[in-house]
Amino acid sequence: MPTNVPPADAWLMASRQAEIASLQKLLQTGKLTGEISQLVHELQRERGVSNIWICSQGKMFGEELPVRERQVGVALANTLANLPPLAGNQAAQPGSARVYSRIAAALHALGELTALRRDVRDCRLSHSDAMRQFTHIIRQLLNLAFEMIDTASDPQVSRALIAMFSFMQGKELAGQERAIGSAGYAVGAFSASQRERLLELIEAQDRCFTHFTQFADAKSLQRWRSQSQEESDVERLRRIACTRSTPEEGGAEMALRWYQRMTRRIDGLKQVEDGLAQHLMQCCRESIRQAQLQQAVQEEGGDALRDQPDTGPAFSIYVAGQNWLKQEGQTLDTGGLTPALGKSVLGLVEAQSRQLEALDSELTAIRASLGERKQIDRAKALLIRHHDYSEEEAWQALRKMAMDQNRRIPDIAEALLAVAGAFTATPK
């Protein structure tokens, strides 16, 4: 037997401390996600006000523009304050490079806000161009939030992150719907492309919110259902916009009515989103609390056993919810430890290993869902690049291929990417 072998319980404690450190980083991720959520919401509000300003040719919401800009500034400052520090990147965790790249892309997009606002105030942009630029900035922030999901190492936190991101994405699509509807009602007519885009956005929202319901907590689901029950007026306005090229009512008054009703809807969605952010932080803090409790139990158990004389035929110690019983007559190679302490360490190892195995299994299932979503996004990007599709057209193309071949959309996406990889691979 080798001599001077480090004690096993020291490595168990190191494992628990590493788990706590990882969870504390997740807590920071949760805070950043919440700040991104608020920044996106304020940008959506500024986009909506800018949209009405442009559609009314500078006659409406002029006084709101500086208010919205200030609110975006506050949310941006809070987001920047919660970005991970640049110092010490040598010890960055796997996946950090992608997160940093997403941060850089988001900051670059946000840097374009000043010029965009100047063009909006001077009405030098069309409604569609202004919307496209605001949407690009928001998309970069959502991409950052999505990338951070993959860094989560706790199943409960991962579920909360996925639920929140899916909801944020659906809410952003609702903001785009508000902008297109405002433009159509303002001029008193909807083009065929506008009606088609509205239908695409409604369907895409349904997909995002369905994905959200698969991972959301019970309270958030209840808030969502309460919000959904109040959308009868929204549905009526949608039917008018999607089925009539020329609404019976139009002009600034109808555009304002649409804008105000859709804004109430989006503000209601924000309340659900805020609840998701609170749940996310609760998950992070609860996971840290549980890990710290288990660490304390391990420390107390180890100290107690070191002081415990091994005189009785049997004794037990309660560790992390498990009762480990020393049976008389057992033999165990303890590596120089007393029999009692050796069996305690073995129990701790087995308990912690089972816990980590269960977490890994749950994370694997969650990451599989996340991986499928990434595959679909990459396949859509491929179709957009090579066929000049819109994002919704790319989704519809994937769905049609899946229906025609009686296969799952993720499987179709994987096959497309494999074929593309074969054609782009460098020949030997």
Side-chain angles (χ1 to χ4, degrees):
M1 183 90 185
T3 58
N4 301 322
V5 176
D9 57 342
W11 291 95
L12 280 174
M13 291 305 303
S15 170
R16 186 67 69 193
Q17 289 164 359
E19 178 187 358
I20 292 171
S22 175
L23 288 168
Q24 287 170 337
K25 288 184 179 180
L26 272 184
L27 183 63
Q28 290 303 119
T29 295
K31 289 179 180 177
L32 178 56
T33 303
E35 297 299 344
I36 290 173
S37 163
Q38 187 62 36
L39 177 55
V40 166
H41 183 66
E42 297 300 342
L43 283 166
Q44 287 167 339
R45 295 176 76 181
E46 184 178 356
R47 180 180 59 189
V49 168
S50 300
N51 177 63
I52 293 293
W53 168 259
I54 291 172
C55 288
S56 67
Q57 299 179 334
K59 297 176 183 177
M60 297 175 64
F61 284 10
E63 71 285 355
E64 281 286 310
L65 286 173
V67 176
R68 299 278 67 85
E69 290 179 15
R70 286 195 296 271
Q71 291 301 107
V72 169
V74 172
L76 176 57
N78 292 335
T79 299
L80 295 176
N82 282 278
L83 290 178
L86 287 173
N89 286 349
Q90 296 85 348
Q93 291 184 331
S96 294
R98 296 194 305 273
V99 172
Y100 294 153
S101 177
R102 292 296 190 189
I103 291 173
L107 293 178
H108 178 75
L110 286 163
E112 299 172 354
L113 260 177
T114 300
L116 172 57
R117 286 166 171 166
R118 185 171 56 248
D119 289 342
V120 167
R121 281 194 299 270
D122 296 341
C123 291
R124 288 201 299 259
L125 288 174
S126 67
H127 150 263
S128 58
D129 285 341
M131 179 178 164
R132 178 180 53 79
Q133 292 186 43
F134 271 111
T135 300
H136 170 71
I137 296 170
I138 292 171
R139 183 176 292 118
Q140 295 306 316
L141 290 167
L142 291 177
N143 286 342
L144 171 57
F146 183 69
E147 198 63 59
M148 289 190 298
I149 296 173
D150 209 20
T151 67
S153 56
D154 180 89
Q156 186 181 21
V157 176
S158 292
R159 284 195 299 270
L161 278 167
I162 293 174
M164 186 169 178
F165 171 77
S166 299
F167 201 87
M168 288 171 65
Q169 196 174 38
K171 178 169 160 285
E172 162 55 11
L173 296 170
Q176 294 181 34
E177 180 190 5
R178 175 179 62 184
I180 291 176
S182 296
Y185 275 118
V187 298
F190 286 90
S191 66
S193 62
Q194 283 178 320
R195 293 198 304 274
E196 182 178 356
R197 181 59 181 154
L198 283 172
L199 290 170
E200 291 171 353
L201 287 169
I202 293 168
E203 183 181 355
Q205 286 174 65
D206 288 343
R207 290 200 303 270
C208 290
F209 292 137
T210 297
H211 200 253
F212 144 78
T213 61
Q214 295 170 0
F215 292 92
D217 61 289
K219 286 186 178 178
S220 296
L221 283 174
Q222 185 177 3
R223 292 190 193 99
W224 162 243
R225 290 177 183 128
S226 298
Q227 164 70 22
S228 301
Q229 290 171 357
E230 300 176 2
E231 296 191 357
S232 57
D233 193 37
V234 170
E235 292 302 321
R236 191 183 74 81
L237 292 170
R238 278 175 167 176
R239 283 196 298 273
I240 294 172
C242 294
T243 60
R244 304 178 193 172
S245 59
T246 305
E248 294 176 359
E249 301 175 78
E253 183 179 344
M254 194 63 180
L256 183 61
R257 179 180 172 187
W258 164 272
Y259 174 83
Q260 291 174 337
R261 184 59 191 89
M262 297 303 286
T263 296
R264 286 199 300 273
R265 177 179 183 243
I266 291 171
D267 288 344
L269 295 178
K270 185 63 170 70
Q271 292 179 12
V272 179
E273 192 174 272
D274 288 344
L276 287 166
Q278 292 171 8
H279 175 69
L280 172 60
M281 298 304 292
Q282 289 171 359
C283 288
C284 291
R285 293 191 179 100
E286 177 61 20
S287 294
I288 291 172
R289 190 187 71 82
Q290 290 290 342
Q292 289 173 334
L293 177 62
Q294 290 169 351
Q295 180 187 33
V297 171
Q298 282 184 210
E299 289 173 343
E300 292 172 5
D303 291 341
L305 273 174
R306 285 183 176 84
D307 298 333
Q308 171 77 43
D310 186 21
T311 55
F315 65 91
S316 62
I317 179 170
Y318 191 80
V319 178
Q322 299 292 332
N323 190 33
W324 298 102
L325 184 65
K326 174 184 178 296
Q327 299 292 341
E328 185 177 17
Q330 279 187 322
T331 60
L332 178 69
D333 184 358
T334 63
L337 300 172
T338 66
L341 183 55
K343 290 181 180 179
S344 172
V345 171
L346 179 62
L348 289 171
V349 170
E350 290 175 344
Q352 196 157 324
S353 295
R354 281 198 296 270
Q355 180 192 18
L356 292 174
E357 186 176 337
L359 292 177
D360 284 343
S361 298
E362 196 168 355
L363 268 177
T364 298
I366 292 172
R367 289 183 189 276
S369 174
L370 190 60
E372 288 183 349
R373 189 160 183 169
K374 284 188 173 183
Q375 290 276 74
I376 292 170
D377 285 345
R378 289 176 58 202
K380 286 196 298 185
L382 184 70
L383 293 172
I384 290 168
R385 186 165 62 250
H386 289 286
H387 296 280
D388 198 28
Y389 285 162
S390 68
E391 185 172 354
E392 187 60 27
E393 287 171 338
W395 164 260
Q396 295 296 344
L398 285 174
R399 190 172 73 165
K400 185 176 186 305
M401 284 187 278
M403 292 175 64
D404 290 345
Q405 300 179 39
N406 195 25
R407 298 173 66 186
R408 297 167 63 245
I409 292 177
D411 296 336
I412 293 294
E414 183 179 3
L416 272 179
L417 293 171
V419 171
F423 279 103
T424 58
T426 304
K428 294 183 179 179

Coordinates of all heavy atoms in Angstrom, one line a residue, residues 378-415:
R378 N -29.1 26.3 -36.1 CA -28.0 26.3 -37.1 C -28.5 25.9 -38.4 O -28.1 26.4 -39.5 CB -26.9 25.3 -36.6 CG -26.1 25.7 -35.4 CD -25.2 24.7 -35.0 NE -24.3 24.3 -36.0 CZ -23.6 23.1 -36.1 NH1 -23.8 22.2 -35.1 NH2 -22.8 22.8 -37.1
A379 N -29.5 25.0 -38.5 CA -30.1 24.6 -39.8 C -30.9 25.7 -40.4 O -30.8 25.9 -41.6 CB -31.0 23.3 -39.6
K380 N -31.6 26.5 -39.5 CA -32.3 27.6 -40.1 C -31.3 28.7 -40.6 O -31.5 29.2 -41.7 CB -33.1 28.3 -39.0 CG -34.4 27.5 -38.6 CD -35.4 28.3 -37.8 CE -34.8 28.8 -36.5 NZ -35.8 29.5 -35.6
A381 N -30.2 28.9 -39.9 CA -29.2 29.8 -40.4 C -28.6 29.4 -41.7 O -28.4 30.2 -42.6 CB -28.1 30.0 -39.4
L382 N -28.5 28.1 -41.9 CA -28.0 27.5 -43.2 C -28.9 27.8 -44.3 O -28.5 28.2 -45.4 CB -27.7 26.0 -43.0 CG -27.1 25.3 -44.2 CD1 -25.7 25.7 -44.3 CD2 -27.3 23.8 -44.0
L383 N -30.2 27.6 -44.1 CA -31.2 27.8 -45.1 C -31.3 29.3 -45.4 O -31.5 29.7 -46.6 CB -32.6 27.3 -44.6 CG -32.7 25.8 -44.5 CD1 -34.0 25.4 -43.9 CD2 -32.6 25.1 -45.9
I384 N -31.2 30.1 -44.4 CA -31.3 31.6 -44.6 C -30.1 32.1 -45.5 O -30.3 32.9 -46.4 CB -31.3 32.3 -43.2 CG1 -32.6 32.1 -42.5 CG2 -31.0 33.8 -43.4 CD1 -32.6 32.5 -41.0
R385 N -28.9 31.5 -45.2 CA -27.7 31.9 -45.9 C -27.8 31.5 -47.4 O -27.4 32.2 -48.3 CB -26.5 31.4 -45.2 CG -25.2 31.8 -45.8 CD -24.0 31.6 -44.8 NE -23.8 30.1 -44.6 CZ -24.1 29.5 -43.4 NH1 -24.5 30.2 -42.4 NH2 -23.9 28.2 -43.3
H386 N -28.2 30.3 -47.6 CA -28.1 29.7 -49.0 C -29.4 29.9 -49.8 O -29.3 29.8 -51.0 CB -27.8 28.2 -48.9 CG -26.4 27.9 -48.4 ND1 -25.3 28.1 -49.2 CD2 -26.0 27.5 -47.2 CE1 -24.2 27.8 -48.5 NE2 -24.6 27.4 -47.3
H387 N -30.5 30.2 -49.2 CA -31.8 30.3 -49.9 C -32.4 31.7 -49.7 O -33.5 31.9 -50.2 CB -32.7 29.2 -49.5 CG -32.3 27.8 -49.9 ND1 -32.4 27.3 -51.2 CD2 -31.7 26.9 -49.1 CE1 -31.9 26.1 -51.2 NE2 -31.4 25.8 -50.0
D388 N -31.8 32.6 -49.0 CA -32.3 33.9 -48.7 C -33.7 33.8 -48.1 O -34.5 34.7 -48.4 CB -32.3 34.7 -50.0 CG -32.4 36.2 -49.8 OD1 -32.0 36.6 -48.7 OD2 -33.0 36.9 -50.6
Y389 N -33.9 32.8 -47.2 CA -35.2 32.7 -46.5 C -35.2 33.7 -45.3 O -34.1 34.2 -44.8 CB -35.3 31.3 -45.9 CG -35.7 30.2 -46.9 CD1 -35.5 28.9 -46.5 CD2 -36.2 30.5 -48.1 CE1 -35.8 27.9 -47.4 CE2 -36.6 29.5 -49.0 CZ -36.4 28.2 -48.6 OH -36.7 27.2 -49.5
S390 N -36.4 34.1 -44.9 CA -36.5 34.7 -43.6 C -36.4 33.6 -42.5 O -36.4 32.4 -42.9 CB -37.9 35.4 -43.5 OG -38.9 34.5 -43.4
E391 N -36.3 34.0 -41.3 CA -36.2 33.0 -40.2 C -37.4 32.2 -40.2 O -37.3 30.9 -40.0 CB -36.0 33.7 -38.9 CG -35.7 32.8 -37.7 CD -35.4 33.4 -36.4 OE1 -35.2 34.7 -36.5 OE2 -35.2 32.7 -35.4
E392 N -38.6 32.7 -40.4 CA -39.8 32.0 -40.3 C -39.9 31.0 -41.5 O -40.4 29.9 -41.4 CB -41.1 32.9 -40.2 CG -42.4 32.2 -40.0 CD -42.4 31.3 -38.8 OE1 -41.7 31.7 -37.8 OE2 -43.1 30.3 -38.7
E393 N -39.5 31.5 -42.7 CA -39.5 30.7 -43.9 C -38.6 29.5 -43.7 O -38.9 28.3 -44.2 CB -39.1 31.5 -45.1 CG -40.2 32.5 -45.6 CD -39.6 33.4 -46.7 OE1 -38.4 33.6 -46.8 OE2 -40.5 34.0 -47.4
A394 N -37.5 29.7 -43.1 CA -36.5 28.6 -42.8 C -37.2 27.6 -41.9 O -37.1 26.3 -42.1 CB -35.2 29.1 -42.2
W395 N -37.9 28.1 -40.9 CA -38.6 27.1 -40.0 C -39.7 26.3 -40.7 O -39.8 25.1 -40.5 CB -39.2 27.9 -38.8 CG -40.2 27.1 -38.0 CD1 -41.6 27.2 -38.2 CD2 -40.0 26.1 -37.1 NE1 -42.2 26.3 -37.3 CE2 -41.2 25.6 -36.7 CE3 -38.8 25.5 -36.6 CZ2 -41.3 24.6 -35.7 CZ3 -38.9 24.5 -35.6 CH2 -40.1 24.0 -35.2
Q396 N -40.4 27.0 -41.5 CA -41.5 26.3 -42.3 C -40.9 25.3 -43.2 O -41.5 24.2 -43.4 CB -42.3 27.3 -43.1 CG -43.1 28.3 -42.2 CD -44.2 27.6 -41.3 OE1 -44.5 26.5 -41.6 NE2 -44.6 28.3 -40.3
A397 N -39.7 25.6 -43.8 CA -39.1 24.6 -44.7 C -38.7 23.4 -43.9 O -38.8 22.2 -44.4 CB -37.9 25.3 -45.4
L398 N -38.1 23.6 -42.8 CA -37.7 22.4 -41.9 C -38.9 21.6 -41.5 O -38.9 20.4 -41.6 CB -37.0 22.9 -40.7 CG -35.6 23.4 -40.8 CD1 -35.1 24.0 -39.5 CD2 -34.6 22.3 -41.2
R399 N -40.0 22.3 -41.2 CA -41.2 21.6 -40.7 C -41.8 20.8 -41.9 O -42.2 19.6 -41.7 CB -42.2 22.6 -40.2 CG -43.4 21.9 -39.5 CD -44.3 22.8 -38.8 NE -45.1 23.6 -39.7 CZ -46.1 24.3 -39.4 NH1 -46.5 24.4 -38.1 NH2 -46.8 25.1 -40.3
K400 N -41.8 21.3 -43.1 CA -42.3 20.6 -44.3 C -41.5 19.4 -44.6 O -42.1 18.3 -44.9 CB -42.4 21.6 -45.5 CG -43.1 20.9 -46.7 CD -43.2 21.9 -47.8 CE -44.0 21.3 -49.0 NZ -43.4 20.0 -49.5
M401 N -40.2 19.6 -44.5 CA -39.3 18.4 -44.8 C -39.6 17.3 -43.7 O -39.6 16.1 -44.1 CB -37.9 18.8 -44.7 CG -37.4 19.5 -46.0 SD -35.6 19.8 -46.0 CE -35.5 21.3 -45.0
A402 N -39.8 17.7 -42.5 CA -40.0 16.7 -41.4 C -41.4 16.0 -41.7 O -41.5 14.8 -41.5 CB -40.0 17.4 -40.1
M403 N -42.4 16.7 -42.1 CA -43.7 16.1 -42.3 C -43.6 15.2 -43.6 O -44.2 14.1 -43.5 CB -44.7 17.2 -42.5 CG -45.1 18.0 -41.3 SD -46.2 19.4 -41.6 CE -47.6 18.6 -42.1
D404 N -42.9 15.7 -44.6 CA -42.9 14.9 -45.8 C -42.1 13.5 -45.6 O -42.5 12.5 -46.2 CB -42.1 15.6 -46.9 CG -43.0 16.8 -47.4 OD1 -44.2 16.8 -47.2 OD2 -42.4 17.7 -48.1
Q405 N -41.1 13.6 -44.7 CA -40.3 12.4 -44.5 C -40.8 11.6 -43.2 O -40.1 10.6 -42.8 CB -38.9 12.8 -44.4 CG -38.3 13.4 -45.6 CD -36.9 13.8 -45.5 OE1 -36.1 13.1 -44.9 NE2 -36.5 14.9 -46.1
N406 N -41.8 12.1 -42.5 CA -42.3 11.5 -41.3 C -41.1 11.4 -40.2 O -40.9 10.3 -39.6 CB -42.9 10.2 -41.5 CG -43.7 9.7 -40.4 OD1 -44.2 10.5 -39.6 ND2 -43.8 8.4 -40.2
R407 N -40.4 12.5 -40.1 CA -39.3 12.5 -39.1 C -39.4 13.7 -38.2 O -40.1 14.6 -38.5 CB -37.9 12.5 -39.9 CG -37.7 11.3 -40.7 CD -36.4 11.5 -41.6 NE -35.2 11.5 -40.8 CZ -34.0 11.8 -41.3 NH1 -33.9 12.1 -42.6 NH2 -33.0 11.8 -40.5
R408 N -38.6 13.7 -37.1 CA -38.6 14.8 -36.2 C -37.8 16.0 -36.8 O -36.9 15.8 -37.6 CB -38.0 14.4 -34.9 CG -38.7 13.3 -34.1 CD -37.9 12.8 -33.0 NE -37.6 13.8 -32.0 CZ -36.4 14.2 -31.7 NH1 -35.3 13.7 -32.4 NH2 -36.2 15.1 -30.8
I409 N -38.3 17.2 -36.5 CA -37.5 18.4 -37.0 C -36.1 18.4 -36.6 O -35.2 18.7 -37.4 CB -38.3 19.7 -36.6 CG1 -39.6 19.8 -37.3 CG2 -37.4 20.9 -36.9 CD1 -40.5 21.0 -36.9
P410 N -35.7 18.0 -35.3 CA -34.3 18.0 -34.9 C -33.5 17.0 -35.8 O -32.3 17.3 -36.1 CB -34.3 17.6 -33.5 CG -35.7 18.0 -33.0 CD -36.6 17.8 -34.1
D411 N -34.1 15.9 -36.2 CA -33.4 14.9 -37.0 C -33.2 15.5 -38.4 O -32.1 15.3 -39.0 CB -34.2 13.6 -37.1 CG -34.4 12.9 -35.8 OD1 -33.5 13.2 -34.9 OD2 -35.4 12.2 -35.6
I412 N -34.2 16.2 -38.9 CA -34.0 16.8 -40.2 C -32.9 17.9 -40.2 O -32.0 18.0 -41.1 CB -35.3 17.5 -40.7 CG1 -36.4 16.4 -41.0 CG2 -35.1 18.4 -41.9 CD1 -36.1 15.5 -42.2
A413 N -32.9 18.7 -39.1 CA -31.8 19.7 -38.9 C -30.5 19.1 -38.9 O -29.5 19.5 -39.5 CB -32.1 20.5 -37.7
E414 N -30.3 18.0 -38.1 CA -29.1 17.3 -38.0 C -28.6 16.8 -39.4 O -27.4 16.9 -39.7 CB -29.2 16.1 -37.0 CG -27.9 15.4 -36.8 CD -28.0 14.3 -35.7 OE1 -29.1 14.1 -35.3 OE2 -27.0 13.6 -35.4
A415 N -29.5 16.2 -40.2 CA -29.2 15.7 -41.5 C -28.7 16.8 -42.4 O -27.7 16.6 -43.2 CB -30.4 14.9 -42.1

